Amino acid sequence: MDRILPEAAHAPINAAIDFVYSYGPAAEKTVVLVPAFLTNYVEGLAEATGFDTETINYTLGLFMCYPLGIVMNMLPYGKLKHVFSFLQSKTVVPVFLMTYITLGHLHRMYINYLGYDLDFTGPQMVITIKLYAMAYNLYDGHLLAKGIEDRAAKKCAPWAVADVPGIIEYLGYTFNFSTILAGPAYEYTTYAAACDG
């Protein structure tokens, strides 16, 4: 990174990164859902396999989708599936989403240029895509309901959403456990059909 950025840029960037990292101890206290024995197990597994803990956490999260998917499939159609989908995962303005994901990518590039890390940016990209898709689906639904001639809305009519979904349905779609880590991001109507029958 030293060859790309001018020397004068390093000090403010490092100061900004140090400022954000200074909140790390306070933020770590908010992570109460992961028991200590599980953290210790993952650290031991990471040491034994030679992978970093983030990669092990990510992989274990992907494998957990299979048994959770079986449980979700056994649940009755309706709000219970939406609640289950939301609770198994961990309304934002699109500008914030794009800024957040861009800063995350820039941070990763700065601290590990041309390296490979599994971090929050993967799930954040999936959430960003889903929220943008929801916005366009609602817009298409609005145009179609008003009878406004729009070629794109007609082409996307199968995925158009006429009404804003309830908060449970929205959160279930956005944070669906089976797609939050690696995608794919799909249309809300596909998710609603799977949950509501």
Side-chain angles (χ1 to χ4, degrees), residues 4 15 31 42 71 97-98 105 116 133:
I4 295 173
V31 182
V42 169
V71 171
L97 282 174
M98 291 306 292
H105 285 304
Y116 177 76

Side-chain angles (χ1 to χ4, degrees), residues 10-20:
H10 287 280
I13 291 173
N14 285 331
I17 290 173
D18 290 341
F19 174 74
V20 171

Side-chain angles (χ1 to χ4, degrees), residues 77-78 81-82 165 169 173 186-197:
Y77 289 116
K81 281 194 177 199
H82 297 292
E169 292 83 0
Y173 164 70
Y186 45 78
E187 309 295 338
Y188 174 76
T189 53
T190 304
Y191 168 78
C195 287
D196 296 331

Side-chain angles (χ1 to χ4, degrees), residues 6 28 43 46 77 111 126 143 146 150 171 179 185:
E28 288 171 3
E43 288 172 355
Y77 289 116
I111 64 170
V126 174
L143 291 179
K146 297 259 185 195
D150 186 84
L171 292 173
T179 60

Side-chain angles (χ1 to χ4, degrees), residues 136-145 147-161:
Y136 282 113
N137 292 340
L138 286 167
Y139 181 71
D140 291 339
H142 170 74
L143 291 179
L144 293 171
I148 298 172
E149 290 294 321
D150 186 84
R151 187 178 64 143
K154 285 181 182 177
K155 183 178 179 184
C156 299
W159 302 284
V161 177

Side-chain angles (χ1 to χ4, degrees), residues 34-169:
V34 181
F37 77 88
L38 188 56
T39 303
N40 294 336
Y41 176 75
V42 169
E43 288 172 355
L45 193 58
E47 189 175 316
T49 61
F51 290 107
D52 56 79
T53 56
E54 290 81 13
T55 302
I56 298 295
N57 280 330
Y58 189 88
T59 305
L60 291 174
L62 286 174
F63 285 133
M64 280 302 299
C65 290
Y66 290 106
L68 291 173
I70 292 169
V71 171
M72 186 169 178
N73 196 34
M74 292 188 292
L75 294 174
Y77 289 116
K79 289 206 185 293
L80 186 59
K81 281 194 177 199
H82 297 292
V83 171
F84 182 80
S85 178
F86 171 65
L87 290 179
Q88 298 311 311
S89 305
K90 341 218 156 155
T91 298
V92 190
V93 180
V95 172
F96 172 78
L97 282 174
M98 291 306 292
T99 302
Y100 187 71
I101 194 68
T102 300
L103 290 174
H105 285 304
L106 289 173
H107 173 260
R108 188 177 62 195
M109 284 178 54
Y110 185 75
I111 64 170
N112 189 12
Y113 185 66
L114 294 179
Y116 177 76
D117 288 328
L118 278 174
D119 61 4
F120 77 96
T121 56
Q124 186 64 39
M125 285 187 290
V126 174
I127 290 172
T128 302
I129 292 167
K130 283 183 172 184
L131 295 180
Y132 269 98
M134 174 67 84
Y136 282 113
N137 292 340
L138 286 167
Y139 181 71
D140 291 339
H142 170 74
L143 291 179
L144 293 171
K146 297 259 185 195
I148 298 172
E149 290 294 321
D150 186 84
R151 187 178 64 143
K154 285 181 182 177
K155 183 178 179 184
C156 299
W159 302 284
V161 177
D163 297 314
V164 176
I167 189 70
I168 298 297
E169 292 83 0

